[in-house]
């Protein structure tokens, strides 16, 4: 449900907060202040593609790789909360497979008791050798980003990547998964610019979905996520702005986003940490999670004032109900 200003009541907002807790398997949002359930950890801040929907040209690249010392500090603290944590995603901005030690990082987290370790990749570097290393390390889930099965359109959207190579890597990974770790989850995920009011686009979307059906297992996911404007920071052709949104977002209660330099941001759309809420070089993640900076943001969200935050204004990216209602094959992550 997307409320208008006139619909906002404390009763409605309390109901939304209850739904946020339910999505994270908690009894209430106060329980979620204990520690984040979900993490995005940016071990590399570089990418080998120039996608038309990405603000890569505006990234702060002062720290392209997270230091081993910082990653170890993070991993050690995560270990202490492994029973609580649901997912650790080893990706934020950047292509994670540019981190040559990514399999070792996966293994480090798995040995620490993290139940689900995953990441999202454009799959251009997902060679058979690297795929085997990742599967042997215990990777639980992978999100393979491919927006279309049309070669020409793909290479127009994901500039610099080779469609045939990417497709071969993905199909090889499906085969390896079957042989090495059949219970692993594969998500095929694209960025959607489809206009579902037109038969042509609806048919193209269905064709994309149907292509992957023979490869998927019941626990796999095939879905599109809508193109967004990165918290009102990038103009995207074909992006349609939403009206102001007044209900709270799940992220301030569920997910911690750690940049390669150690800054913690409120949202993955905040690619340069304009709203950093702490620094895990100097503080523990527990301290950051209970700091007044993030609590101020939570207060704005839970009182219907999220539009006072420029990055949060009109954003519905992480609103599960909205996405499911408006893109019929959508299946977003809880986080």
């Amino acid at each position: 449900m997307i409320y208008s200003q006139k619909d906002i009541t404390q009763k409605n907002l309390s109901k939304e907060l209850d739904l946020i807790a339910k999505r994270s398997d908690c009894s209430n949002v106060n329980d979620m202040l204990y520690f984040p359930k979900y993490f995005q950890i940016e071990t590399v801040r570089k990418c080998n593609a120039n996608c038309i929907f990405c603000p890569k040209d505006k990234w702060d690249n002062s720290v392209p790789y997270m230091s081993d010392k910082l990653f170890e500090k993070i991993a050690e603290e995560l270990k202490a909360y492994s029973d609580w944590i649901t997912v650790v995603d080893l990706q934020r901005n950047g292509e994670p497979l540019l981190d040559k030690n990514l399999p070792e990082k996966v293994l480090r987290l798995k040995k620490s008791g993290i139940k689900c370790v995953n990441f999202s990749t454009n799959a251009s570097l997902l060679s058979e050798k690297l795929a085997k290393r990742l599967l042997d390390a215990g990777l639980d889930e992978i999100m393979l980003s491919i927006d279309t099965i049309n070669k020409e359109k793909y290479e127009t959207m994901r500039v610099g990547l080779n469609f045939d190579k990417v497709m071969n890597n993905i199909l090889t990974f499906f085969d390896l998964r079957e042989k090495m770790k059949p219970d692993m989850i594969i998500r095929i995920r694209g960025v959607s610019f489809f206009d579902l009011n037109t038969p042509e686009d609806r048919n193209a979307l269905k064709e994309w979905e149907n292509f992957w059906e023979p490869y998927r297992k019941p626990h796999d996911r095939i879905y599109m996520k809508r193109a967004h404007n990165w918290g009102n920071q990038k103009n995207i052709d074909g992006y349609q702005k939403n009206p102001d949104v007044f209900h709270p977002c799940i992220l301030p209660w569920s997910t911690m986003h750690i940049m390669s330099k150690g800054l913690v941001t409120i949202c993955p759309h905040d690619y340069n940490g304009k709203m950093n809420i702490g620094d895990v070089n100097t503080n523990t993640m527990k301290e950051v999670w209970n700091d007044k900076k993030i609590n101020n943001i939570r207060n704005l969200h839970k009182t219907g004032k999220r539009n006072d935050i420029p990055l949060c204004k009109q954003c519905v990216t992480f609103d599960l109900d909205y996405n499911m209602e408006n893109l019929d094959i959508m299946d977003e992550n809880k986080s």
Side-chain angles (χ1 to χ4, degrees):
M1 177 69 71
I2 298 180
Y3 299 131
S4 66
Q5 177 72 69
K6 66 179 181 180
D7 293 328
I8 284 296
T9 66
Q10 193 56 52
K11 182 178 180 180
N12 283 340
L13 291 169
S14 295
K15 181 180 178 181
E16 291 281 343
L17 292 170
D18 288 342
L19 290 173
I20 282 173
K22 184 178 180 181
R23 282 173 65 181
S24 297
D25 297 321
C26 289
S27 57
N28 58 68
V29 290
N30 289 330
D31 288 347
M32 299 172 73
L33 303 182
Y34 172 65
F35 201 68
K37 280 282 191 178
Y38 304 89
F39 285 84
Q40 278 197 322
I41 301 173
E42 183 183 80
T43 74
V44 59
R45 192 176 174 79
K46 297 174 66 176
C47 190
N48 59 337
N50 293 290
C51 301
I52 61 173
F53 40 78
C54 180
K56 174 185 171 183
D57 59 326
K58 298 180 180 180
W59 288 358
D60 167 15
N61 288 316
S62 58
V63 182
Y65 294 96
M66 179 177 284
S67 70
D68 291 341
K69 179 181 179 181
L70 179 56
F71 181 81
E72 181 58 29
K73 179 180 186 293
I74 292 169
E76 193 60 25
E77 188 173 354
L78 292 175
K79 180 179 179 180
Y81 295 91
S82 60
D83 289 343
W84 175 260
I85 297 167
T86 300
V87 176
V88 175
D89 180 358
L90 288 175
Q91 188 260 350
R92 188 174 174 274
N93 295 127
E95 169 50 50
L97 296 184
L98 287 169
D99 180 350
K100 297 186 183 302
N101 295 319
L102 190 64
E104 287 71 28
K105 290 181 170 71
V106 172
L107 182 60
R108 172 68 173 91
L109 294 175
K110 292 306 296 180
K111 285 185 175 180
S112 296
I114 302 301
K115 294 183 284 291
C116 181
V117 179
N118 69 12
F119 62 82
S120 173
T121 173
N122 62 39
S124 62
L125 302 175
L126 191 60
S127 66
E128 183 173 354
K129 180 179 179 180
L130 180 54
K132 288 179 178 178
R133 288 176 62 201
L134 289 164
L135 288 165
D136 282 337
L139 186 67
D140 299 288
E141 180 179 332
I142 192 168
M143 289 158 278
L144 304 171
S145 297
I146 181 166
D147 323 286
T148 174
I149 55 173
N150 180 292
K151 175 181 172 68
E152 182 179 356
K153 185 175 181 181
Y154 174 88
E155 293 182 353
T156 300
M157 293 177 68
R158 294 191 177 260
V159 180
L161 301 186
N162 181 287
F163 173 82
D164 296 322
K165 181 180 180 181
V166 169
M167 184 64 75
N168 179 69
N169 287 347
I170 290 176
L171 297 183
T172 298
F173 193 88
F174 269 105
D175 184 55
L176 284 172
R177 188 272 298 264
E178 186 65 25
K179 295 175 180 176
M180 297 179 63
K181 194 176 181 182
D183 59 337
M184 178 195 187
I185 296 172
I186 295 178
R187 293 178 182 263
I188 297 292
R189 184 177 70 175
V191 175
S192 172
F193 290 90
F194 290 109
D195 180 356
L196 299 185
N197 293 314
T198 66
E200 182 180 2
D201 275 8
R202 288 196 70 87
N203 289 338
L205 187 59
K206 198 65 180 177
E207 181 183 9
W208 174 87
E209 182 186 25
N210 289 341
F211 177 87
W212 301 107
E213 280 299 326
Y215 302 99
R216 73 178 296 181
K217 286 180 171 291
H219 55 271
D220 291 337
R221 301 288 184 268
I222 301 172
Y223 64 101
M224 286 282 177
K225 66 174 184 178
R226 287 191 173 277
H228 57 78
N229 66 358
W230 296 89
N232 303 299
Q233 297 182 96
K234 180 176 174 63
N235 293 322
I236 304 287
D237 290 340
Y239 172 78
Q240 296 181 348
K241 280 193 174 183
N242 304 296
D244 281 356
V245 179
F246 297 94
H247 60 261
C249 174
I250 189 173
L251 294 188
W253 284 271
S254 68
T255 311
M256 180 171 282
H257 309 269
I258 305 176
M259 296 173 63
S260 58
K261 62 172 63 178
L263 291 183
V264 179
T265 72
I266 190 61
C267 173
H269 294 350
D270 186 11
Y271 49 82
N272 278 338
K274 286 182 179 180
M275 288 187 61
N276 82 79
I277 55 173
D279 187 338
V280 294
N281 287 289
T282 55
N283 294 98
T284 67
M285 291 182 286
K286 176 75 169 178
E287 289 169 340
V288 173
W289 194 240
N290 290 280
D291 188 83
K292 64 180 181 180
K293 288 183 180 180
I294 190 170
N295 282 329
N296 288 339
I297 292 168
R298 289 178 182 131
N299 286 333
L300 289 172
H301 274 255
K302 70 182 183 182
T303 55
K305 298 178 182 178
R306 60 177 290 174
N307 294 292
D308 293 350
I309 307 170
L311 282 164
C312 301
K313 185 178 177 64
Q314 301 175 329
C315 178
V316 294
T317 304
F318 305 98
D319 188 311
L320 187 67
D321 291 335
Y322 174 82
N323 288 326
M324 289 295 289
E325 178 181 321
N326 288 271
L327 195 58
D328 56 355
I329 62 170
M330 189 69 153
D331 188 9
E332 273 287 16
N333 194 321
K334 284 183 179 181
S335 61

